Amino acid sequence: MGRMWREPDLAMFASLALEPLWPIESRSLIPLVAGLAARSAIEDLSGVTVGLRWPNDLMVGEKKAGGLLAESFGDVVVVGCGVNLAWREPMEGATALSDHGARSVDAIGLARTWADHLLERLSLHPDDWGLDEYRQSCVTVGRFVTYRGGSGTAIGVSDEGSLLVDTGEEVVAVTSGEVRVNDPATLPSDPEE
């Protein structure tokens, strides 16, 4: 998509491969579970409050402090997590925990704590991992968003993990793809612009 990626001065990058016990139809929730686990680990160790931008961004205010990815290979799911711990000159839209009064955070300790939180939540029934907690932490809800094929106001997260968007004509369940949070005043009035 023509994006530039830069590595921060200090970060935590970790991947965890596992064979979840959850049924296949519940595995679409794993990226959300991983985000909630990362939020808990960051807040426990750094004291910085993190919001979750659906489906996979860790936000401090309006800036991205990290993110998650999940891929499946047969029965194995690999979940990756990256968190910016310190960054003297972050790229536009990014931040690091150190810029927000974070206590000193050990990258390995953060990775272990994140993995522990994730495995603990995944050991629960798919209905009990913390969906309501995710919904309360989701900074996308209530915002105007654009997605492939439309735009509208994000009004919630479904039980299956989809972002629910009110287009003004209907409520659409966005299940994947890029979702951009926008201020409607900055959008072009002509959709072809």
Side-chain angles (χ1 to χ4, degrees):
M1 299 180 99
R3 292 196 178 110
M4 181 178 74
W5 297 92
R6 289 182 34 211
E7 188 174 323
D9 301 315
L10 181 63
M12 183 281 285
F13 299 115
S15 293
L16 179 64
L18 60 130
E19 291 186 32
L21 299 177
W22 287 8
I24 295 290
E25 60 272 11
S26 297
R27 292 187 184 177
S28 62
L29 294 168
I30 291 176
L32 305 185
V33 178
L36 197 55
R39 177 183 187 270
S40 297
I42 291 166
E43 291 181 0
D44 288 353
L45 298 180
S46 76
V48 174
T49 300
V50 174
L52 301 169
R53 184 168 64 188
W54 187 93
N56 60 354
D57 291 337
L58 304 169
M59 305 296 293
V60 179
E62 292 294 316
K63 295 189 175 187
K64 184 174 174 178
L68 300 115
L69 290 173
E71 294 184 288
S72 61
F73 305 92
D75 290 337
V76 176
V77 175
V78 179
V79 184
C81 179
V83 180
N84 304 330
L85 301 177
W87 204 346
R88 283 182 303 256
E89 296 179 25
M91 59 193 300
E92 184 177 339
T95 191
L97 299 182
S98 63
D99 292 335
H100 302 278
R103 296 187 293 267
S104 179
V105 177
D106 168 62
I108 294 173
L110 179 58
R112 285 184 177 140
T113 303
W114 166 68
D116 289 345
H117 282 290
L118 176 57
L119 293 172
E120 180 181 333
R121 288 178 185 276
L122 289 175
S123 73
L124 302 172
H125 187 275
D127 293 336
D128 298 327
W129 64 270
L131 179 58
D132 288 336
E133 185 181 351
Y134 181 90
R135 287 173 172 148
Q136 292 170 359
S137 304
C138 185
V139 298
T140 311
V141 174
R143 306 284 301 272
F144 190 84
V145 299
T146 56
Y147 57 92
R148 178 177 222 127
S151 63
T153 302
I155 59 169
V157 176
S158 75
D159 291 349
E160 296 76 31
S162 302
L163 183 67
L164 302 175
V165 179
D166 184 347
T167 68
E169 297 175 4
E170 63 181 330
V171 174
V172 175
V174 178
T175 58
S176 64
E178 183 166 330
V179 172
R180 294 182 181 264
V181 176
N182 298 291
D183 174 357
T186 64
L187 296 176
S189 55
D190 180 356
E192 299 300 314
E193 288 184 41

